[in-house]
Amino acid sequence: MSTVVHMANRGSESPGGYRFWRSVVRFWFALSSHKVRLLNAAKAVEETPAVFAVSHPAGFWEALILIGAFEREIHCLVERRLIHGRLREFLATRLGMIPYDETEEGWASALGACSFALTRGGAMTVFASKPATDTGRGHPVSQIVARVLREAESRESGSLRVSIFPLHVLLPAEGSRSRGSLVYVGSPVSTTVPAAAPGETAAPDAGALARAIEARVQHNAFRLQPEDMELFLRDLEELLRLNLAEQWSSRARWKQDAEGFKLSSLVGKWADQVNILDPGRLISMRESLEACREMRRRSSLHRLEVEAAGTWLRSALQRVAVYVESVIGLLVAAYGLLNHLAILCALYAAGSFRKRNRRDPTTEWTIRVAVVLGFYTFQVLLLAHFEGRAAAGYYAPTLPLTGAYLLRYVWLLRHRTRLAVLELLMPAQTRKARRMRSQFLQEIDRSLRVHEEALGVSR
């Protein structure tokens, strides 16, 4: 007669060692300012047998994040090559990770450990792997989950009720501004796995179960939406076309242009796979692409401003004169600003600097002149009281002169110095834009090469 395993009836608890080392992992995350948030985990915390089918590729760091996210004890199925070094081996043992090798003996041992955990009401995670190739390497997460369930069922006298949860992880990619990770638990796919008939290698509905799990895993909660993916691929195509055009334009007698350049279907398939397995990386790539576009836009805008500046910017002598006046005139402008700071504050309080000033222009200028003359008189009389009439006599002419130069210096900064500095820094800005574009395209190329090696194809 079939039996249903319920952890709640067994009343077992996580061992103290696991909880201690999990707290150590969480403390490590806190020290590194890496926040891990678990989303939609109401049903996943129940102490019943559960398998979490993770859409993200396996990694030791990813396993630690999941262990730190959940309150219940979970066993992470991790490839043995990822657990290298004494520290990782120590943590993997204390945190209940289940290592496996891509051999029949390695899989048999790992499946036995997984079954042992599930038949006792435990929980485990199965990570996504590279897509299967023609050589037979790689196992989709759905196939691994189905094998684990069949193995666990074979150890029970009847059927084993296991809750299967798709699990989506959003990790901050390298260079991303985000410092935290998000773990989203999808709605469960609860099923009763019937025992395999004598002589059968798989349960009758194993294929249907694997397809259902795979469909749920591929529906990543953090993926880019189709319209965002289309925009990303279009911008990537434009950037690649621009890069090709610059490379070809530097070649002598090269007549081919990049207008007919189109992305290959392989790039689209690669983007779809990354959007399922590691959307955080795709989001980071999109941010990098936006940064490249913004740098290119700013560089083009500054070039247009420089070209429209006039003939003075093409004269080296006039540019040097602007640089010299900008440096030397700073002291005079600072002295003028100090003398007129109280006047500026009074005019600002009176609303003279508002863009939508409803006062009559004649009235407005009358107020400005009255405020300026009033403060000039007050400052001269104040200095005469403390320093004498001679000092006040020397000080009085400097007020209108430094005020006039302050206006001149503001004009200089806005219409001369800024353009001269842009002209000086434009070559460096252009090199930076090209360097950013080159780094981004190198990252794309590395990711495409990994995708090609997994599929066994070439461009």
Side-chain angles (χ1 to χ4, degrees):
M1 184 176 180
S2 298
T3 60
V4 179
V5 181
H6 289 282
M7 186 66 181
N9 297 332
R10 302 194 176 190
S12 62
E13 296 182 356
S14 299
Y18 177 89
R19 292 182 177 180
F20 171 77
W21 290 108
R22 182 182 61 190
S23 64
V24 171
V25 171
R26 290 176 174 177
F27 181 69
W28 179 25
F29 287 157
L31 287 180
S32 59
S33 300
H34 188 98
K35 296 181 180 180
V36 181
R37 295 183 59 189
L38 185 62
L39 307 176
N40 195 36
K43 296 182 179 181
V45 297
E46 298 178 1
E47 298 297 329
T48 57
V51 176
F52 297 98
V54 188
S55 60
H56 197 281
F60 189 79
W61 174 256
E62 287 78 1
L64 291 181
I65 288 176
L66 296 184
I67 290 173
F70 285 90
E71 290 298 330
R72 67 180 297 183
E73 179 182 0
I74 60 173
H75 303 275
C76 295
L77 185 63
V78 181
E79 194 171 355
R80 191 178 299 276
R81 64 179 179 82
L82 300 175
I83 309 176
H84 55 82
R86 293 184 178 180
L87 178 60
R88 290 194 173 190
E89 291 177 357
F90 178 84
L91 288 175
T93 303
R94 297 302 184 275
L95 295 172
M97 296 186 190
I98 303 175
Y100 71 92
D101 297 313
E102 285 287 352
T103 60
E104 288 299 326
E105 294 182 359
W107 271 113
S109 176
L111 290 175
C114 295
S115 303
F116 184 81
L118 288 178
T119 55
R120 280 154 182 77
M124 60 170 298
T125 64
V126 178
F127 289 92
S129 61
K130 297 178 182 179
T133 64
D134 296 337
T135 59
R137 296 178 299 169
H139 301 277
V141 60
S142 57
Q143 293 183 11
I144 301 177
V145 171
R147 290 184 64 180
V148 169
L149 294 180
R150 292 200 304 270
E151 183 68 21
E153 170 59 28
S154 67
R155 294 174 178 267
E156 286 292 308
S157 58
S159 62
L160 179 66
R161 180 170 296 172
V162 180
S163 295
I164 305 173
F165 294 92
L167 198 66
H168 308 298
V169 183
L170 182 65
L171 301 181
E174 183 179 357
S176 177
R177 291 169 291 184
S178 176
R179 300 275 303 171
S181 300
L182 298 178
V183 180
Y184 181 85
V185 183
S187 55
V189 183
S190 300
T191 181
T192 299
V193 184
E200 290 186 355
T201 58
D205 65 342
L209 175 61
R211 288 191 295 272
I213 297 172
E214 191 69 24
R216 296 291 297 278
V217 169
Q218 290 187 0
H219 194 73
N220 198 313
F222 301 113
R223 72 194 186 282
L224 293 181
Q225 296 302 312
E227 55 272 16
D228 296 324
M229 279 290 294
E230 182 180 356
L231 180 62
F232 171 76
L233 292 176
R234 186 167 65 247
D235 292 341
L236 176 60
E237 181 179 282
E238 180 184 353
L239 191 68
L240 288 169
R241 188 183 295 116
L242 174 65
N243 190 63
L244 284 176
E246 289 190 359
Q247 291 180 358
W248 292 344
S249 63
S250 62
R251 301 176 182 178
R253 299 180 180 178
W254 189 270
K255 298 182 179 180
Q256 184 177 359
D257 58 35
E259 290 301 322
F261 174 83
K262 298 292 182 182
L263 285 178
S264 67
S265 60
L266 179 65
V267 178
K269 294 178 181 178
W270 158 81
D272 291 336
Q273 184 194 25
V274 176
N275 198 28
I276 295 173
L277 298 179
D278 194 1
R281 187 177 181 186
L282 198 62
I283 292 173
S284 177
M285 289 181 178
R286 185 180 177 184
E287 291 177 353
S288 300
L289 182 56
E290 290 293 334
C292 291
R293 292 184 59 192
E294 177 62 19
M295 179 58 67
R296 179 191 171 197
R297 186 192 67 82
R298 290 171 55 189
S299 180
S300 300
L301 180 61
H302 293 166
R303 183 178 295 105
L304 289 175
E305 287 186 86
V306 169
E307 292 176 353
T311 57
W312 71 268
L313 195 56
R314 302 185 184 93
S315 172
L317 184 61
Q318 294 189 47
R319 291 199 305 270
V320 171
V322 170
Y323 296 142
V324 171
E325 184 180 359
S326 300
V327 174
I328 298 177
L330 179 61
L331 296 176
V332 180
Y335 178 69
L337 179 62
L338 181 63
N339 288 331
H340 294 78
L341 187 60
I343 298 175
L344 294 174
C345 292
L347 291 176
Y348 179 81
S352 295
F353 298 142
R354 294 177 184 174
K355 293 183 177 180
R356 296 182 179 180
N357 196 335
R358 297 182 178 180
R359 284 197 292 258
D360 181 71
T362 304
T363 304
E364 182 63 39
W365 279 106
T366 302
I367 293 175
R368 293 177 180 179
V369 171
V371 170
V372 170
L373 293 179
F375 272 93
Y376 279 1
T377 304
F378 174 75
Q379 290 172 217
V380 171
L381 293 177
L382 187 64
L383 186 63
H385 175 74
F386 287 102
E387 298 295 335
R389 293 184 178 181
Y394 289 114
Y395 174 68
T398 64
L399 290 174
L401 292 178
T402 56
Y405 187 76
L406 179 61
L407 295 176
R408 152 74 183 179
Y409 192 78
V410 171
W411 177 89
L412 179 71
L413 292 181
R414 295 180 61 182
H415 298 89
R416 290 291 187 267
T417 307
R418 177 177 172 274
L419 292 175
V421 171
L422 286 180
E423 193 274 338
L424 181 65
L425 299 179
M426 195 165 58
Q429 190 179 47
T430 302
R431 289 193 299 269
K432 182 180 179 181
R434 291 177 178 174
R435 183 170 61 253
M436 290 178 59
R437 185 178 66 213
S438 176
Q439 292 174 351
F440 172 75
L441 294 179
Q442 288 176 6
E443 181 183 2
I444 294 290
D445 188 67
R446 285 193 299 267
S447 185
L448 280 172
R449 289 183 184 277
V450 172
H451 182 67
E452 291 170 358
E453 292 174 0
L455 296 177
V457 299
S458 59
R459 277 176 283 182

